[in-house]
Amino acid sequence: MKVFRLRLVKVLLLGFLLANLVFFYYTWNTLLWRRISRALSGESAAPEEPPKPAKLSPKDKVRNANKHIRKSITIVFYGHYNFEQDLRASIDSILDVIPNMPIMVLQDGGAEYAYPPVNYERNLTAGEERSVVFQSLAFDVRHTRQELNPLAAIRTKYVLIMPDGVRLSSKNLLQKILREINSLGLPGQPKEQRPPVPPEEPVRRMVLVPFAGNLKSFSTCVRMTLDLPDWTLELVATNDSKRCDLFLQKHAILLDASVLGAMPEPFTLPFPEMLYMQAKIANLSTTVFPQAFQEGRRLFASFHTKQRRMDLRRRQFREMYKKLQIKRIVRRAYRVPGKAQAREVWGQGHGLVLDGQFSSSNTSLPLITDIDLFGCERTTKSCIGSVYNERPYYSYLGKHTPPCCLDKLRTTFNHVLEEFENVGIRYWLDNRALQSAIETNHLSPDAYDIDISFNVQDLERSNAMKKSQSKPYVDNEGFYWIKATDGHYFRVQFSKPNQVGVNLLPYSITGTEARANGFFGWKATTFSADYLHPMSTVLFLGKSVMCPNNVLEYLEEKHIKVRSADLDADED
């Protein structure tokens, strides 16, 4: 009985093994033929589903977001004043939100900016490194050019230039402006429809992020036109953020580090005005971001610090105009005429750029235009300088005569004209000035003097010319009358140091000829006295000025060609 039970167990075990082998055989055979049939029919195997990524914890999400911001943006503080600043609290607020954020503090080398020095120390926590770098922009012969260049220390694609006095409560705004500058597309286009910017492609635009404390009742943007050949800067105040060449109130600027490095001098005072000038020349577009940073501590609240900063700003603007060779500033804004402005924009003191506060653009208010000229004054030398071969130095630079010199030339001409007409001297407009009067009724943009010829027999009628025959004479209005050393003609200058002036060329008229009396050169041309009998008039600088008759023929005898054949002169 016991033997029978053992045999029965063995039979059952053997049967179980045979059943498994049969099942395995048929299963393998079925799968094998299925693969063979797919291979023969050209069907590809079903793609394997990728493994689902592991779900990140909130700490990992924050860590990844901070890492992305640190690899993309370097924050640069520039344009602050060491005698009153909020740098320590501003930097701490950033590092508290994003530890190890790369931060660079740039400092100008002048004692008025770099003193007293700013010292920053932070109690580092676990995993935190020293990521704040202070760098001076002063020239140091002991350093290489690479070491003096602050952009050489920036390893990120973008630079966020931050003003002093900021409080960062979260990283959300940094993420949003990073997405904004990383997307391509037209303004107003939905962000989800904008393609991303390729990593190797430079982004030629700037994202402007305002501050929450900015005034809402004043203009925030300025349209800027920079006309370097005419030495002119035109500023038009507006609230149109789509065309914002210069943002007036407190703001941060996010732009590509490579674009910033392509500018001649990106970190130059006054800041950010000098940066905007270079950005305008480089044709960079701007985008005003709709959200704002939070304000830090209020700076320059006392009269002393405010006045000290204003004096520095005025000096910075004078240096900027000199460097950019700007002689005329035209400012346009809709505002109440003569209204005193109670508060300056941004607390930065635009000084010579924006003397007054611009109101919000409102076309119901009159458009007020202010024009400021810099350069030629009675106590300064002329901007024209010495002239060789009838070409001033600026003509080789592709520029016209500086507008300040043209203004003083008009003033001197009007003064001489008034003197001649009061005492009854017979005169006529001559040479290049007469050509300009015929062509445009205005002074040529390349003019550097005006020629007035007169009858030498009338010389004694002018008290100023009589006195200037023996020695230079300064009249009651400060004009400088002098007899030329290279001939017997006279010259009236705007002042003794400022040599912008009018040439007075004497002619002796005998019989049928008018001959130059004591001066030489191409201007000393003998011509028929019939051109002076009778005299004609031409409109020049808003006045009716005497000129020869048959003026086109007269100028042809002097080898001067008039561009237009239309003669704008009235025959007497």
Side-chain angles (χ1 to χ4, degrees):
M1 189 70 180
K2 188 176 181 180
V3 175
F4 175 75
R5 287 179 180 175
L6 290 175
R7 287 179 180 176
L8 181 60
V9 171
K10 290 181 181 179
V11 170
L12 291 175
L13 182 60
L14 180 62
F16 179 75
L17 293 175
L18 290 175
N20 283 329
L21 289 175
V22 171
F23 177 77
F24 175 76
Y25 170 76
Y26 279 104
T27 302
W28 176 81
N29 193 27
T30 302
L31 294 176
L32 178 63
W33 281 106
R34 192 174 292 175
R35 291 176 182 175
I36 293 175
S37 62
R38 284 177 180 173
L40 292 176
S41 62
E43 296 180 1
S44 59
E48 298 182 0
E49 294 184 2
K52 294 183 180 181
K55 190 175 181 180
L56 297 177
S57 64
K59 288 186 178 181
D60 292 335
K61 291 181 180 180
V62 172
R63 193 179 297 111
N64 290 344
N66 291 345
K67 184 178 180 181
H68 177 62
I69 294 175
R70 286 195 296 265
K71 286 188 174 181
S72 303
I73 298 177
T74 297
I75 296 179
V76 175
F77 284 92
Y78 182 59
H80 54 276
Y81 297 86
N82 282 15
F83 56 85
E84 184 163 357
Q85 40 80 22
D86 189 35
L87 287 175
R88 295 182 183 87
S90 299
I91 295 174
D92 283 337
S93 71
I94 296 174
L95 294 180
D96 289 342
V97 176
I98 307 176
N100 299 330
M101 182 72 187
I103 298 176
M104 178 179 291
V105 181
L106 299 181
Q107 186 67 66
D108 275 88
E112 60 271 25
Y113 304 108
Y115 188 83
V118 177
N119 297 319
Y120 176 78
E121 294 292 337
R122 180 177 174 83
N123 296 326
L124 302 179
T125 59
E128 193 173 359
E129 302 174 355
R130 297 190 182 277
S131 59
V132 182
V133 177
F134 283 75
Q135 181 164 346
S136 174
L137 298 177
F139 173 76
D140 192 339
V141 71
R142 297 168 296 180
H143 294 167
T144 64
R145 184 173 183 178
Q146 191 76 359
E147 293 172 341
L148 294 175
N149 181 17
L151 294 175
I154 295 178
R155 299 289 182 262
T156 57
K157 180 175 176 60
Y158 299 110
V159 175
L160 179 60
I161 305 177
M162 188 76 73
D164 191 9
V166 62
R167 296 295 182 268
L168 193 66
S169 57
S170 71
K171 59 181 174 297
N172 294 337
L173 185 53
L174 294 180
Q175 291 175 315
K176 291 178 181 179
I177 63 175
L178 190 56
R179 283 196 296 267
E180 174 68 28
I181 200 171
N182 268 328
S183 60
L184 296 173
L186 299 174
Q189 185 179 1
K191 294 182 179 180
E192 58 271 8
Q193 299 180 7
R194 300 182 186 179
V197 178
E200 67 281 356
E201 180 180 336
V203 179
R204 299 191 59 80
R205 68 180 179 127
M206 303 188 299
V207 177
L208 314 180
V209 189
F211 273 65
N214 291 347
L215 300 176
K216 305 298 182 183
S217 59
F218 295 103
S219 296
T220 55
C221 289
V222 165
R223 291 199 304 270
M224 182 167 52
T225 303
L226 192 59
D227 188 356
L228 294 180
D230 279 334
W231 314 73
T232 300
L233 172 65
E234 182 176 352
L235 303 169
V236 181
T238 178
N239 278 335
D240 184 9
S241 60
K242 295 180 181 179
R243 290 190 58 191
C244 193
D245 298 327
L246 170 63
F247 197 88
L248 291 178
Q249 303 195 58
K250 186 175 180 180
H251 66 289
I253 305 174
L254 179 65
L255 73 164
D256 196 308
S258 62
V259 174
L260 189 66
M263 296 181 182
E265 293 185 3
F267 297 112
T268 306
L269 297 175
F271 193 86
E273 288 82 3
M274 188 65 170
L275 177 69
Y276 280 113
M277 300 285 181
Q278 299 174 73
K280 181 67 175 179
I281 295 174
N283 293 321
L284 299 183
S285 61
T286 58
T287 300
V288 180
F289 201 71
Q291 299 183 28
F293 283 115
Q294 295 299 316
E295 290 275 5
R297 179 171 63 89
R298 184 186 173 190
L299 302 175
F300 310 109
S302 67
F303 174 80
H304 173 71
T305 56
K306 182 184 295 185
Q307 191 64 34
R308 183 177 177 183
R309 176 184 50 88
M310 287 292 293
D311 293 341
L312 291 175
R313 293 278 289 177
R314 291 191 183 98
R315 190 192 314 170
Q316 293 165 13
F317 279 107
R318 284 194 294 267
E319 292 297 324
M320 181 182 71
Y321 299 147
K322 185 177 180 180
K323 184 175 293 186
L324 296 178
Q325 296 184 334
I326 294 175
K327 302 290 186 180
R328 175 173 57 192
I329 296 179
V330 181
R331 297 164 297 169
R332 307 183 193 276
Y334 292 96
R335 69 171 186 258
V336 179
K339 182 179 178 181
Q341 306 300 336
R343 187 175 175 183
E344 63 175 290
V345 178
W346 177 2
Q348 295 296 323
H350 282 266
L352 300 177
V353 168
L354 303 173
D355 288 337
Q357 177 58 266
F358 284 141
S359 303
S360 297
S361 296
N362 186 350
T363 54
S364 64
L365 296 176
L367 179 63
I368 305 299
T369 300
D370 298 323
I371 300 178
D372 289 331
L373 298 175
F374 307 100
C376 287
E377 302 294 341
R378 289 204 181 274
T379 57
T380 62
K381 290 186 178 181
S382 165
C383 302
I384 296 175
S386 301
V387 179
Y388 299 97
N389 297 325
E390 300 183 17
R391 288 195 66 182
Y393 79 94
Y394 50 80
S395 65
Y396 295 95
L397 304 177
K399 293 176 174 285
H400 301 298
T401 301
C404 56
C405 296
L406 292 176
D407 179 72
K408 301 306 182 290
L409 187 56
R410 293 188 198 97
T411 303
T412 307
F413 171 76
N414 290 331
H415 179 74
V416 173
L417 202 64
E418 183 180 3
E419 169 75 12
F420 276 20
E421 290 180 348
N422 288 340
V423 299
I425 292 180
R426 291 167 288 180
Y427 74 92
W428 61 92
L429 195 64
D430 212 345
N431 301 325
R432 301 295 184 192
L434 180 57
Q435 178 190 11
S436 299
I438 299 302
E439 292 176 348
T440 63
N441 302 130
H442 296 287
L443 199 60
S444 168
D446 298 317
Y448 53 86
D449 60 7
I450 295 177
D451 292 333
I452 295 180
S453 298
F454 69 97
N455 193 328
V456 71
Q457 297 176 356
D458 299 339
L459 188 150
E460 297 296 325
R461 297 182 181 181
S462 171
N463 187 40
M465 279 199 294
K466 280 195 303 182
K467 291 183 177 181
S468 62
Q469 282 185 304
S470 57
K471 62 179 182 179
Y473 168 70
V474 180
D475 61 21
N476 294 332
E477 298 185 27
F479 293 91
Y480 190 69
W481 297 68
I482 187 172
K483 189 174 183 180
T485 57
D486 56 344
H488 294 286
Y489 69 93
F490 298 86
R491 182 173 175 84
V492 184
Q493 297 177 179
F494 184 68
S495 66
K496 182 176 181 180
N498 192 333
Q499 298 181 357
V500 171
V502 176
N503 299 319
L504 306 180
L505 309 178
Y507 275 85
S508 59
I509 303 174
T510 56
T512 60
E513 277 190 345
R515 186 180 298 273
N517 188 291
F519 67 96
F520 312 97
W522 69 272
K523 297 179 181 180
T525 304
T526 302
F527 57 89
S528 172
D530 293 338
Y531 288 115
L532 305 179
H533 304 290
M535 297 288 286
S536 296
T537 58
V538 63
L539 185 64
F540 183 60
L541 299 180
K543 292 187 176 182
S544 183
V545 182
M546 305 301 294
C547 71
N549 60 64
N550 294 325
V551 65
L552 295 180
E553 295 181 8
Y554 172 78
L555 290 175
E556 285 181 3
E557 284 197 17
K558 291 204 166 191
H559 307 289
I560 298 176
K561 294 182 179 180
V562 179
R563 296 176 186 174
S564 175
D566 297 328
L567 180 62
D568 189 12
D570 300 325
E571 298 289 343
D572 287 344

